[in-house]
Amino acid sequence: MAANMYRVGDYVYFENSSSNPYLIRRIEELNKTANGNVEAKVVCLFRRRDISGNLNTLADSNAREFEEESKQPVLAEPQKHQLKHRELFLSRQFESLPATHIRGKCNVTLLNETDILAGYLEKEDCFFYSLVFDPVQKTLLADQGEIRVGSKYQAEIPEKLAEGESDNRVQEKMETKVWDPNNQLKDPQIDQFLVVARAVGTFARALDCSSSIRQPSLHMSAAAASRDITLFHAMDTLQKNDYDLAKAMSTLVPQGGPVLCRDEMEEWSASEAMLFEEALEKYGKDFNDIRQDFLPWKSLASVVQFYYMWKTTDRYIQQKRLKAAEADSKLKQVYIPTYTKPNPNQIMVPGSKPGINGAAGFQKGLSCESCHTAQSPQWYAWGPPNMQCRLCASCWIYWKKYGGLKTPTQLEGAARTGSESGPRGHMTRHEVQGLSPFARSEGRAKLLAKNRQTFILQTTKLTRIARRVCEDILQPRRAARRPYASINANAVKAECIIRLPKATKNPVKSKIIPRPSLANIVKDLAISAPLKLKASRGPPTPINRNQASQPRVGPSLLGKRGFDSASGVPYPANGRPYTSGMRTTSQSVIKRQKVSQGEAPNPVVFVATKDTRALRKHLTQSEMRRAARKPHLPVRIKLPPPPRAVAMPLIPSSTSEPIVLED
């Protein structure tokens, strides 16, 4: 009975999916809806699998620092793997979930320096947290509410003085005396001086313009002058004047006017007080977040002082009464019976013979993905359906509660091996694939049953008929040129049903085109094939794409070229340079897909020569289009006749006549 009774403040498991792990939440409120159901307002806690890889790296570094500072015992690799499943991340995100989805209780504690991490593995349903996750900002921050326990937070107590031994320490450097109870004044005299100090404070507020606006009435000014800040100032004045009333009176009212003392309750405006109450409702007593998000212009000391003064006001008492009345109207606890319905991921009927390895739709010989056992009274499907992975009963419960497997999977092991083997930038694609454990025979045999299933998109017979019958509506050529434009398939189908009876009476006349034999096609291709020029052997192309690429093939008439020519000026197909207003290919803003160095092929760049670009200028626009559409056909260029050589008169190298320059 007590195990199924859930109260406010309990950490519980929630099930939102039959195949995913449980959600871990903390119950904040239990509300009854209009239809009689119970909803729980909960605080979200996240696992490592719920955050990004960058934040996981940050959490790993924080865990290493904690282990070094607290001097944790060394754990084995399986224990370190399972310990990550026990770590949670607190958040300030709230959500409402049906109380019927609760599947049990768990224990979540704040990690302390005195805790032993291995102790969490020995307890069932035990978790810890040390960082706070912000789902909106995607950040991890240290929890400010940690309890400082440890040797470095303890005070160093000196040894006790022996009898008759005097204390040689200088007391003035260790503490400041603010009040002497053995003074010459009597209590009635001190009380009279405090009354005079309150009267001076009331008069000072009447003279101050800002105070007269905040406290417009005499009663409010007198109440503000009766606060502790005025009494502390009066008693400090007596201490500084050696408890001489005449000197203390003159200090209260100096030459410039009466002294005005204000506390944080007077310094804050009404709008700032409303912001503080709103922040306190959202963050609680987390004064760092209150100051950072709501009151950044206030100091942390000012926020803390205002909080403790605000607790003495009638406003705080009214809110406390309203919350108490609201809490009385809400549910304190709820009883949820144990969930006994079968899980849809079960792949064996519980009433069947135990220990049978295999079920309908699953291959025999498969073992548990976590503990690799072949005997289990109950099997559960785990992972994608095409992978055909399964878990035994105990590993399934571990997966649902802790969000992981007891042992690292083969994929996790391959990723860890690759990270420890060093950089792969100097390896080829085949060498990188050779490092994978699945490239070996034993790894490939395990993966045979987990290959991706191929699929084929095949049109129906009615669709192929509609393409012919409703060609005027479908417009296949236009649709091929504009693949992004949608086609009204329902209209085409309806029109096809109407036209189909008429189309059967008037069959479509098809023109039969005789096809040549394969020998003739090969012969024609051999004749029309362009002559391949022998590639010039140059230095190998470097892997680094930033270096200058060398041409891999010899110069051809319509050879491919890079995005930029050798001179740095991009050329279009007609060989003329772009104008300044045109957009070049190098200015493209299309985001290219990143390819890993191990999987990327060697780059090949074709750079046109100067002669090739000169020959392109003699091609017309139609010839350029025809050459681009049919690159297998040779291109014939009519070169202009070379300019005739003009006979130049022979000029003697030396002459005695004078040289005349005419303008």
Side-chain angles (χ1 to χ4, degrees):
M1 182 70 179
N4 294 339
M5 192 68 69
Y6 300 94
R7 299 175 177 83
V8 175
D10 289 345
Y11 290 91
V12 295
Y13 295 115
F14 272 91
E15 186 175 25
N16 66 338
S17 174
S18 60
S19 58
N20 292 337
Y22 292 140
L23 304 177
I24 299 179
R25 300 291 186 261
R26 186 182 67 200
I27 301 177
E28 290 293 316
E29 296 177 3
L30 292 172
N31 303 318
K32 196 171 185 179
T33 59
N35 54 4
N37 298 329
V38 178
E39 283 190 353
K41 182 182 178 182
V42 296
V43 178
C44 300
L45 290 96
F46 295 88
R47 305 178 190 264
R48 276 180 171 262
R49 66 193 305 270
D50 301 327
I51 63 178
S52 62
N54 295 333
L55 296 182
N56 269 299
T57 305
L58 184 61
D60 290 337
S61 62
N62 180 75
R64 286 192 296 268
E65 293 177 0
F66 175 80
E67 292 176 1
E68 293 175 358
E69 292 179 358
S70 59
K71 298 180 181 180
Q72 295 287 332
V74 181
L75 301 177
E77 288 299 327
Q79 290 179 321
K80 291 181 180 179
H81 173 75
Q82 295 178 9
L83 191 63
K84 292 182 179 181
H85 302 156
R86 303 299 183 101
E87 184 178 8
L88 301 178
F89 302 100
L90 184 66
S91 72
R92 294 188 177 92
Q93 179 178 344
F94 293 87
E95 62 181 3
S96 296
L97 296 174
T100 54
H101 289 186
I102 296 177
R103 297 294 180 263
K105 293 182 182 180
C106 60
N107 185 22
V108 182
T109 57
L110 177 64
L111 185 62
N112 206 321
E113 290 185 358
T114 58
D115 295 342
I116 303 299
L117 294 177
Y120 289 95
L121 300 177
E122 300 173 357
K123 302 176 184 178
E124 289 290 334
D125 306 322
C126 191
F127 301 87
F128 66 89
Y129 75 93
S130 60
L131 299 176
V132 179
F133 173 61
D134 189 350
V136 179
Q137 302 293 335
K138 306 295 182 183
T139 55
L140 275 180
L141 299 175
D143 186 25
Q144 300 294 332
E146 65 173 332
I147 303 174
R148 296 184 174 182
V149 178
S151 58
K152 62 181 181 180
Y153 299 114
Q154 303 300 321
E156 296 181 0
I157 302 176
E159 297 180 359
K160 185 178 180 181
L161 296 177
E163 295 183 3
E165 185 180 359
S166 61
D167 190 1
N168 298 326
R169 295 177 298 177
V170 181
Q171 298 294 331
E172 287 77 8
K173 294 183 179 180
M174 299 180 61
E175 55 188 3
T176 303
K177 190 175 183 179
V178 295
W179 183 257
D180 186 6
N182 300 322
N183 56 73
Q184 67 271 20
L185 297 178
K186 298 181 180 180
D187 291 343
Q189 292 178 323
I190 297 175
D191 293 338
Q192 291 175 358
F193 182 78
L194 294 180
V195 171
V196 173
R198 294 191 190 99
V200 172
T202 305
F203 179 65
R205 283 167 176 78
L207 296 179
D208 186 59
C209 297
S210 61
S211 299
S212 60
I213 295 175
R214 296 180 181 180
Q215 289 91 17
S217 63
L218 179 62
H219 177 73
M220 295 177 64
S221 298
S226 300
R227 294 186 181 277
D228 293 340
I229 187 68
T230 305
L231 302 182
F232 291 159
H233 175 67
M235 298 175 74
D236 186 56
T237 304
L238 286 175
Q239 171 67 20
K240 290 180 178 180
N241 292 277
D242 296 331
Y243 301 94
D244 188 350
L245 292 178
K247 292 182 180 179
M249 289 288 185
S250 61
T251 306
L252 285 179
V253 187
Q255 294 292 334
V259 177
L260 177 60
C261 300
R262 295 183 191 172
D263 55 9
E264 295 296 335
M265 189 62 69
E266 283 188 84
E267 293 289 345
W268 287 44
S269 62
S271 59
E272 291 174 342
M274 295 294 292
L275 283 175
F276 176 80
E277 292 179 359
E278 182 182 353
L280 194 67
E281 183 72 20
K282 181 178 180 181
Y283 293 136
K285 292 193 296 183
D286 196 340
F287 300 115
N288 287 307
D289 291 345
I290 290 175
R291 175 182 173 273
Q292 183 177 0
D293 295 344
F294 284 84
L295 300 164
W297 57 90
K298 296 289 185 180
S299 63
L300 185 61
S302 175
V303 174
V304 174
Q305 290 180 13
F306 181 81
Y307 168 73
Y308 286 103
M309 292 180 182
W310 174 77
K311 289 184 68 174
T312 62
T313 59
D314 296 337
R315 175 78 174 176
Y316 170 76
I317 298 174
Q318 293 176 1
Q319 289 190 2
K320 194 173 182 180
R321 289 176 180 174
L322 290 175
K323 287 184 178 180
E326 186 180 357
D328 291 338
S329 62
K330 292 182 179 180
L331 297 176
K332 300 293 188 304
Q333 59 186 6
V334 61
Y335 176 79
I336 305 296
T338 305
Y339 188 77
T340 57
K341 293 183 179 180
N343 194 292
N345 291 276
Q346 292 181 4
I347 58 177
M348 185 191 305
V349 182
S352 61
K353 188 176 181 181
I356 298 178
N357 191 353
F362 276 74
Q363 298 183 5
K364 294 183 179 181
L366 296 179
S367 59
C368 177
E369 289 292 326
S370 178
C371 63
H372 307 293
T373 183
Q375 301 292 331
S376 176
Q378 181 63 55
W379 293 96
Y380 295 87
W382 179 77
N386 61 325
M387 301 284 285
Q388 293 192 355
C389 299
R390 65 200 318 186
L391 294 177
C392 62
S394 61
C395 293
W396 176 258
I397 297 175
Y398 186 92
W399 159 257
K400 293 290 288 184
K401 287 185 176 181
Y402 304 112
L405 301 183
K406 294 180 180 179
T407 57
T409 60
Q410 192 170 6
L411 292 176
E412 292 175 347
R416 189 180 299 107
T417 304
S419 61
E420 294 174 357
S421 61
R424 301 184 179 181
H426 63 282
M427 299 183 183
T428 62
R429 180 170 51 185
H430 301 287
E431 293 174 348
V432 173
Q433 292 175 353
L435 290 176
S436 175
F438 306 117
R440 299 187 294 270
S441 58
E442 61 270 20
R444 191 184 300 109
K446 184 175 178 61
L447 200 64
L448 286 178
K450 304 179 182 180
N451 290 335
R452 295 181 180 178
Q453 298 178 357
T454 58
F455 63 93
I456 300 174
L457 299 178
Q458 187 175 4
T459 57
T460 61
K461 189 175 181 180
L462 181 61
T463 304
R464 294 195 297 272
I465 294 174
R467 292 174 181 172
R468 295 295 185 90
V469 177
C470 305
E471 188 175 359
D472 56 336
I473 301 177
L474 185 60
Q475 298 180 359
R477 288 191 176 183
R478 182 174 180 272
R481 292 172 182 171
R482 302 176 63 189
Y484 52 86
S486 59
I487 298 174
N488 192 353
N490 295 329
V492 175
K493 182 179 179 181
E495 188 66 22
C496 178
I497 295 174
I498 297 174
R499 297 184 182 183
L500 196 57
K502 301 178 182 179
T504 54
K505 299 179 181 179
N506 301 324
V508 180
K509 296 180 180 180
S510 58
K511 184 179 179 181
I512 300 176
I513 302 176
R515 295 187 176 181
S517 61
L518 182 60
N520 296 335
I521 295 176
V522 174
K523 185 178 179 181
D524 294 341
L525 290 176
I527 295 174
S528 61
L531 180 61
K532 293 185 178 180
L533 298 178
K534 187 176 181 181
S536 60
R537 293 188 175 272
T541 304
I543 293 179
N544 188 1
R545 299 176 185 269
N546 297 326
Q547 299 178 6
S549 301
Q550 300 291 337
R552 288 289 185 95
V553 297
S556 60
L557 186 60
L558 291 175
K560 296 182 181 179
R561 64 194 185 282
F563 296 120
D564 295 333
S565 62
S567 60
V569 181
Y571 285 90
N574 56 6
R576 299 177 182 176
Y578 286 105
T579 59
S580 60
M582 298 179 66
R583 191 187 186 113
T584 61
T585 312
S586 60
Q587 299 173 350
S588 175
V589 295
I590 300 176
K591 187 176 181 181
R592 300 179 182 176
Q593 185 179 4
K594 295 183 178 179
V595 182
S596 62
Q597 295 182 358
E599 296 292 335
N602 293 330
V604 179
V605 181
F606 297 91
V607 180
T609 61
K610 183 177 180 181
D611 298 336
T612 304
R613 291 194 295 270
L615 291 176
R616 287 177 185 167
K617 296 181 180 180
H618 299 292
L619 291 176
T620 61
Q621 189 174 6
S622 60
E623 291 175 346
M624 288 287 293
R625 289 181 178 177
R626 183 171 65 254
R629 292 171 181 171
K630 298 180 179 181
H632 60 281
L633 296 179
V635 179
R636 300 174 182 175
I637 302 177
K638 296 181 180 179
L639 298 176
R644 297 179 180 178
V646 182
M648 298 296 294
L650 296 176
I651 300 176
S653 59
S654 63
T655 177
S656 60
E657 297 181 0
I659 299 175
V660 180
L661 299 178
E662 296 181 359
D663 189 0

